[in-house]
Amino acid sequence: MKVTTLGQFIIERQADFPYAKGELSRLLRDISIAAKIVHREVNKAGLVDILGETGSTNIQGERVKKLDVFANEQFIAALKAGGEVCAIASEENDDIIPIDSEISKNAKYVVAMDPLDGSSNIDVNVSVGTIFSIYRRTSLSGPGNLEDFMQRGTEQVAAGYIIYGSSCMLMYTTGKGVNGFTLDPSIGEFCLSHPDMKTPMNGKVYSINEGNYLHFPDGVKKYIKYCQEEDKATERPYSSRYIGSGVADIHRNLITGGIYIYPTTTKSPKGKLRLLYECNPLAFIVEQAGGKATTGEKRIMEVPVTELHQRTPLFLGSQHMVDTAMAFMQQFSTTEKV
Ligand code: AHM
Ligand code: MG
């Protein structure tokens, strides 16, 4: 059986980007290196009681870091060392990180990322993930600036996520479909396991934090009730599955078919999730796999980006399910427009 590693695959696909001269390939490689390091630490998270509590000093005399802080530092370090990006935006940093170094002086890209999404799940041994989004810079030279990130999701040149789950997987797209790689720990390589991945047009899973039910827009409440009704023709009721770790919920739904919703609530009137480094990259992946991603009203990737940490409601997954949920939104929600 032929095994294709991520490195080989990227080289083979480089011809898709004749103008990119390998920079994008190197950037993806830098991300995969940080992912392996974070994977190693996530795997050891349960040992923290033995090796030292977060914030304490471990046996080597180093401060034990929270994993989300550690992940942030690893990705930033890998991207800086690679020299292909001129600025980074991260969920962990209030402001962008401009990069001003000799090796990055010709860098063409900026990266927005959520280094460890769903980090409340680490302490309970549940999957977490990293989400990343790559844009071509709009500034001309020098370190990147905030404006470089104020681009719609449609301008992404690549996006992906890593899921630190029962296996560690890296999924990415450059706008020519989605390919998934599973880390083989025995050789330390991501190997192509899900080539040209497609998501089903329909599914039987809905994923939403129903604890917030009373605070949802009417359209969402009605859609949830629709999912729960008995109907043979559409194989309802659907199953409710919510891990509370976005990458894990979305990854499962991508494979089996399903819908993930994080709507506006009366407590979070703009939604909870972030447009730049959560919703846009996930939307790019899901669309490239044949699914759909909207705010409940319009396409996520066309929402103008005006703030680094901008929030948006998200309806994402199998096309038919997203269409149905949007129809409920249109019919029942008149006051919650975003
Ligand atoms: P985070 O970036 O602070 O981890 O928040 C994002 C996470 C998603 O992974 C997950 O789907 C969602 O927030 C869960 O939120 P809630 O606990 O409100 O349902
Ligand atoms: Mg997050």
Side-chain angles (χ1 to χ4, degrees):
M1 193 191 66
K2 182 178 178 287
V3 174
T4 305
T5 67
L6 177 63
Q8 289 165 336
F9 186 84
I10 288 172
I11 292 168
E12 282 168 21
R13 291 298 169 100
Q14 203 166 294
D16 288 348
F17 299 95
Y19 53 85
K21 299 199 187 68
E23 291 100 338
L24 186 59
S25 305
R26 287 197 289 277
L27 181 45
L28 288 166
R29 183 206 55 197
D30 298 338
I31 289 172
S32 75
I33 292 170
K36 287 183 208 175
I37 296 171
V38 172
H39 161 73
R40 187 187 66 200
E41 293 305 307
V42 168
N43 267 1
K44 291 195 296 198
L47 293 169
V48 107
D49 285 345
I50 303 168
L51 301 178
E53 291 287 349
T54 299
S56 68
T57 306
N58 68 14
I59 33 178
Q60 283 89 32
E62 298 157 333
R63 297 283 293 173
V64 179
K65 291 202 175 99
K66 289 182 80 163
L67 263 179
D68 42 7
V69 176
F70 176 84
N72 194 38
E73 289 176 0
Q74 286 304 320
F75 279 96
I76 292 171
L79 293 170
K80 279 187 173 168
E84 306 298 348
V85 297
C86 63
I88 301 167
S90 164
E91 176 167 347
E92 296 286 327
N93 297 79
D94 289 344
D95 301 314
I96 68 152
I97 303 161
I99 299 175
D100 190 7
S101 70
E102 190 51 30
I103 53 163
S104 65
K105 68 176 191 302
N106 296 318
K108 293 195 177 84
Y109 297 100
V110 296
V111 170
M113 63 173 177
D114 182 353
L116 211 60
D117 183 59
S119 48
S120 62
N121 284 298
I122 294 166
D123 292 343
V124 291
N125 204 358
V126 168
S127 303
V128 286
T130 297
I131 310 170
F132 61 91
S133 173
I134 303 174
Y135 289 86
R136 204 163 283 117
R137 71 184 303 172
T138 52
S139 56
L140 296 176
S141 60
N145 60 40
L146 183 60
E147 274 305 304
D148 289 321
F149 292 93
M150 301 294 110
Q151 304 189 51
R152 291 176 197 228
T154 47
E155 301 304 311
Q156 292 174 100
V157 288
Y161 63 78
I162 298 120
I163 176 165
Y164 309 101
S166 43
S167 307
C168 178
M169 279 192 73
L170 185 151
M171 313 281 298
Y172 83 92
T173 183
T174 51
K176 291 182 161 36
V178 178
N179 290 287
F181 300 80
T182 303
L183 183 64
D184 179 341
S186 66
I187 56 170
E189 294 277 7
F190 282 104
C191 301
L192 183 62
S193 53
H194 294 65
D196 197 16
M197 207 179 147
K198 292 289 170 223
T199 193
M201 294 294 278
N202 221 335
K204 283 182 272 177
V205 170
Y206 70 101
S207 308
I208 184 166
N209 185 345
E210 274 183 77
N212 294 329
Y213 185 86
L214 292 178
H215 303 282
F216 288 154
D218 285 346
V220 173
K221 288 182 181 168
K222 298 272 196 235
Y223 179 67
I224 292 175
K225 289 297 158 214
Y226 165 88
C227 292
Q228 296 170 345
E229 276 164 18
E230 296 274 349
D231 179 56
K232 277 221 169 63
T234 51
E235 297 184 73
R236 284 177 289 147
Y238 298 149
S239 288
S240 163
R241 293 279 181 275
Y242 192 72
I243 299 169
S245 192
V247 171
D249 276 311
I250 288 160
H251 182 71
R252 180 203 51 240
N253 290 359
L254 195 67
I255 293 174
T256 64
I259 184 168
Y260 172 97
I261 305 179
Y262 209 111
T264 60
T265 64
T266 42
K267 281 189 275 179
S268 312
K270 293 181 172 168
K272 173 185 180 186
L273 301 179
R274 315 299 183 129
L275 177 60
L276 192 61
Y277 42 78
E278 292 178 325
C279 299
N280 268 336
L282 292 169
F284 193 16
I285 292 263
V286 167
E287 282 195 9
Q288 284 293 318
K292 194 160 178 173
T294 76
T295 62
E297 201 184 315
K298 55 182 180 241
R299 188 177 174 212
I300 281 285
M301 293 212 288
E302 288 174 8
V303 175
V305 180
T306 54
E307 282 171 49
L308 204 53
H309 299 287
Q310 189 169 333
R311 296 178 195 270
T312 175
L314 178 66
F315 292 62
L316 165 146
S318 296
Q319 268 194 41
H320 293 329
M321 296 182 88
V322 174
D323 285 340
T324 305
M326 287 174 76
F328 276 94
M329 287 299 282
Q330 202 180 5
Q331 193 180 350
F332 294 102
S333 307
T334 44
T335 52
E336 322 256 355
K337 297 237 185 313
V338 177

